[in-house]
Amino acid sequence: QEQLVESGGGLVQPGGSLRLSCAASGIPFSIYVMGWYRQAPGKQRELVATITSRGNTNYADSVKGRFTISRDNAKNTVYLQMNSLTPEDTAVYYCNAKIVAMSYWGQGTQVTVSS
């Protein structure tokens, strides 16, 4: 059974850092494009970052230079290192695995940036 499980969310002060993890099971992880998306209250879900099977990355303009996506195919895990966090980064962060027409989502992890 395909499963994505996020972890690492929490409450952090502005300017702080968090690292999110997403552990995948039941899929051939190494061939999937992995991504992080987020959804703030009252807003649509938006792309944060993606990483291909070859390690090519793509970022939303709002997080470029602050967030870094990476993957460890041996551990079937994708990470999102988030630095210089602002209150505007507050959202539920979702992990996604995608290949061709197949797409899987995790349950999400809450990130709250507040003093």
Side-chain angles (χ1 to χ4, degrees), residues 52-111:
T52 70
S53 59
R54 295 186 177 185
N56 296 320
T57 58
N58 179 57
Y59 295 94
D61 288 343
S62 59
V63 307
K64 281 182 181 176
R66 299 188 300 122
F67 291 12
T68 302
I69 188 170
S70 61
R71 65 191 296 162
D72 185 336
N73 290 337
K75 295 182 178 180
N76 288 358
T77 301
V78 62
Y79 304 98
L80 185 68
Q81 177 66 44
M82 306 186 294
N83 299 327
S84 301
L85 286 160
T86 74
E88 288 68 37
D89 296 314
T90 295
V92 178
Y93 284 70
Y94 296 91
C95 177
N96 175 261
K98 184 182 298 182
I99 184 167
V100 192
M102 303 178 69
S103 180
Y104 304 102
W105 292 92
Q107 82 288 350
T109 185
Q110 177 70 46
V111 172

Side-chain angles (χ1 to χ4, degrees), residues 17-66:
S17 298
L18 281 175
R19 188 174 86 151
L20 305 183
S21 299
C22 171
S25 59
I27 62 171
F29 178 84
S30 64
I31 68 173
Y32 275 70
V33 176
M34 299 301 299
W36 288 97
Y37 293 72
R38 66 186 181 186
Q39 187 167 18
K43 295 187 177 181
Q44 290 189 334
R45 190 173 299 188
E46 64 176 3
L47 170 71
V48 176
T50 60
I51 184 166
T52 70
S53 59
R54 295 186 177 185
N56 296 320
T57 58
N58 179 57
Y59 295 94
D61 288 343
S62 59
V63 307
K64 281 182 181 176
R66 299 188 300 122

